[in-house]
Amino acid sequence: MMQFTETPPPPLHQISTMNKNQTQRARPWPAGFPSSKSLSSLGDANCMEQLLVHCANAIQSNDATLAQQILWVLNNIASPEGDSNQRLTCAFLKALIARAAKSGTCKLLAAMANAHCNNLSINTHKFSVIELAGFVDLTPWHRFGFTAANAAILEAIEGFSVVHIVDLSLTHCMQIPTLIDAISSRFEVTPLIKLTVVSPIDEDIIFPPMLDLSYQELGSKLINFARSRNVILEFRVVPSSYSDGFSTLIEQLRVMQNLVYAESYNEALVINCHMLLHYIPEETLSSGIIMNNSNIYPFDSTSASSFRTMFLKSLRSLDPTIVVLVDEDADLTSNNLVCRLRSAFNYLWIPYDTVDTFLPRGSKQRQWYEADICWKIENVIAYEGLRRVERIEPKNKWVQRMRNANFTSVSFGEDAVSEVKTMLAEHAAGWGLKKEEEDLVLTWKGHNVVFATAWLSA
């Protein structure tokens, strides 16, 4: 964390590196805020949010003097060791400084960021399989989606001799062992399981959580685990990129489906999407063809389209048995920095609030947990263009996307609801479950957190 002096910084015209012929004056405080001497009155979340907004506006307008003044206040009220609101604000503070450094605006702030780069860096942890399995079990954030999706999948694959699962998951197949267990105990004759996952192609952005082993090694562990449950598992890795809507994956799935049709296999195709689809670019494409590497992807240029739209329509053309879509229920897609900041601040307080209920301060797991949140905040705030990959959309937008792709929603059954409630009983009292039409939504203190939806081709 960058450290300022105990007193407010001098006006920038006193700094020798600036043009001596320029006359600079300290900008007034944003209207409605106490002076920097009354820091105790700024400790509430609403005031912290407003200060962050004013700081973002100052950075956007290259008003280095005002930005530095607000940053000084934020630095003094947002301790990285403080309460959940303070730690949340501290993460946004770091992200704003990183934005100033990356954009080249507010040269003084950029210099300050570079001078304190060690304190501003986000050290995301590379997990072993055992560590990651334990990590995702700490909270319902991922377990909710695992539980709801597995219940829907088990119902959909009844009667199939072969089940092909395409696991598009942020958590590196951590859902699969529980699903294999359930398949082993539910079916007298267990189906052959084909598991397909994607590995990045030349991605320069690797998002957390990260594994410390290859997918080939992970596949070997999953095959051995399935064998211990008397389930035959085939594991396949397809190099494919989220940045072009997993086009290579779609091509290979189409080839595999053609073989299934030709041989008349009794095979279910399950598409399990767990918090990964929001990395697919959502911007409307402006030309009639998309060129990526050596491939050309046509689409209807007369209507708005995007890689997300193209991906979902391509999935629909594969006629999957079931598609389960689980993601975070927020909107971080705005092109306006302040809108994104407000949306992110009013959503990402939740993981900071929940962490106090299950991890002690100073623990390694807590450091890993909050580093992952900091990574998300920095990506949302500090980056633009293709490097801004955290483009979460709320449930209603995904539901509309799925309907536009001609999928039909299916309700989660009583078994799914019961299993989710049982799982939530293992966690803090603030977690809850609500049903919105056919969908399930995980809540924290009444606020939507993660949604789960299930879809059929017919």
Side-chain angles (χ1 to χ4, degrees):
M1 184 66 192
M2 58 185 289
Q3 295 296 319
F4 291 95
T5 56
E6 290 297 320
T7 56
L12 293 189
H13 68 275
Q14 296 181 12
I15 298 176
S16 60
T17 56
M18 296 194 64
N19 188 336
K20 294 181 180 179
N21 295 324
Q22 292 178 328
T23 302
Q24 299 285 339
R25 297 191 178 205
R27 305 286 293 174
W29 279 109
F33 282 100
S35 71
S36 58
K37 295 179 182 178
S38 306
L39 297 182
S40 61
S41 65
L42 298 174
D44 106 346
N46 289 332
C47 281
M48 289 180 176
E49 180 186 355
Q50 290 304 311
L51 283 171
L52 289 167
V53 166
H54 283 290
C55 186
N57 280 325
I59 290 173
Q60 286 290 85
S61 61
N62 205 21
D63 190 339
T65 304
L66 178 58
Q68 187 189 12
Q69 289 175 326
I70 300 174
L71 284 170
W72 178 84
V73 175
L74 286 168
N75 188 73
N76 279 276
I77 64 175
S79 168
E81 305 299 329
D83 63 24
S84 59
N85 285 330
Q86 291 174 324
R87 302 197 310 277
L88 172 68
T89 304
C90 179
F92 277 88
L93 169 61
K94 291 180 180 181
L96 285 170
I97 296 170
R99 183 182 179 91
K102 295 176 195 305
S103 67
T105 59
C106 294
K107 287 184 168 56
L108 175 67
L109 298 178
M112 292 162 64
N114 291 330
H116 297 83
C117 59
N118 289 333
N119 289 325
L120 289 169
S121 62
I122 299 171
N123 297 313
T124 52
H125 178 68
K126 283 194 171 184
F127 291 89
S128 69
V129 171
I130 299 298
E131 284 176 338
L132 185 56
F135 186 73
V136 299
D137 279 346
L138 289 171
T139 166
W141 204 280
H142 292 294
R143 290 190 72 197
F144 161 77
F146 293 176
T147 305
N150 284 351
I153 291 169
L154 286 170
E155 186 172 339
I157 65 175
E158 188 92 41
F160 287 91
S161 58
V162 181
V163 178
H164 182 188
I165 302 168
V166 181
D167 192 38
L168 298 173
S169 173
L170 184 67
T171 59
H172 311 289
C173 300
M174 290 300 105
Q175 175 181 339
I176 300 302
T178 307
L179 180 57
I180 290 172
D181 254 339
I183 290 172
S184 175
S185 61
R186 177 164 178 152
F187 302 116
E188 289 186 13
V189 178
T190 57
L192 167 67
I193 306 297
K194 299 178 180 178
L195 178 61
T196 297
V197 301
V198 294
S199 64
I201 299 179
D202 300 327
E203 305 286 16
D204 58 354
I205 302 173
I206 306 298
F207 31 79
M210 295 182 289
L211 272 181
D212 69 350
L213 77 167
S214 70
Y215 267 7
Q216 286 75 16
E217 294 171 302
L218 176 63
S220 296
K221 291 180 181 295
L222 287 170
I223 288 170
N224 290 333
F225 175 81
R227 187 180 296 122
S228 74
R229 300 299 191 270
N230 297 314
V231 174
I232 299 174
L233 174 69
E234 296 178 359
F235 185 84
R236 180 184 294 103
V237 180
V238 177
S240 193
S241 172
Y242 63 83
S243 60
D244 69 359
F246 299 113
S247 61
T248 304
L249 171 68
I250 292 295
E251 291 171 11
Q252 293 209 21
L253 290 177
R254 188 165 287 120
V255 170
M256 288 185 271
Q257 281 297 91
N258 289 337
L259 289 174
V260 169
Y261 295 145
E263 299 295 333
S264 299
Y265 292 147
N266 182 27
E267 179 172 314
L269 176 61
V270 174
I271 311 295
N272 184 61
C273 307
H274 184 91
M275 300 191 187
L276 195 63
L277 295 197
H278 70 252
Y279 291 102
I280 300 175
E282 101 288 351
E283 297 99 333
T284 298
L285 304 169
S286 58
S287 64
I289 58 172
I290 315 303
M291 299 189 66
N292 186 67
N293 298 327
S294 61
N295 299 317
I296 299 177
Y297 308 104
F299 72 98
D300 181 5
S301 60
T302 63
S303 60
S305 192
S306 69
F307 278 122
R308 291 188 186 182
T309 299
M310 293 165 62
F311 171 77
L312 294 178
K313 288 184 176 180
S314 297
L315 276 190
R316 178 62 184 81
S317 71
L318 297 173
D319 197 24
T321 308
I322 188 169
V323 177
V324 183
L325 173 57
V326 174
D327 218 314
E328 295 163 311
D329 200 2
D331 192 347
L332 304 183
T333 60
S334 175
N335 288 325
N336 180 279
L337 172 63
V338 168
C339 288
R340 288 204 311 276
L341 188 152
R342 286 190 183 278
S343 292
F345 190 88
N346 286 285
Y347 176 68
L348 293 172
W349 69 270
I350 296 173
Y352 278 98
D353 193 47
T354 63
V355 74
D356 290 337
T357 67
F358 64 90
L359 289 175
R361 294 190 182 191
S363 70
K364 286 186 177 180
Q365 285 185 320
R366 181 157 171 165
Q367 292 171 13
W368 300 341
Y369 183 89
E370 296 198 353
D372 284 5
I373 310 168
C374 286
W375 188 96
K376 186 188 291 283
I377 291 171
E378 180 173 308
N379 189 263
V380 169
I381 300 301
Y383 292 94
E384 297 293 348
L386 294 177
R387 291 191 62 83
R388 180 164 61 83
V389 297
E390 282 288 351
R391 297 179 181 231
I392 295 167
E393 288 186 313
K395 180 173 77 73
N396 65 304
K397 286 191 177 181
W398 280 112
V399 166
Q400 191 58 53
R401 286 186 183 278
M402 295 297 287
R403 288 175 178 164
N404 290 345
N406 293 321
F407 284 101
T408 301
S409 61
V410 59
S411 182
F412 289 90
E414 292 181 6
D415 287 348
V417 173
S418 176
E419 289 180 30
V420 170
K421 287 181 177 178
T422 299
M423 180 273 296
L424 291 180
E426 301 172 12
H427 296 278
W431 293 105
L433 172 68
K434 66 181 180 180
K435 196 163 186 181
E436 294 183 350
E437 297 179 342
E438 281 130 341
D439 313 320
L440 299 182
V441 180
L442 174 71
T443 64
W444 173 254
K445 296 181 178 178
H447 298 270
N448 286 16
V449 181
V450 176
F451 66 86
T453 63
W455 302 88
L456 302 177
S457 298

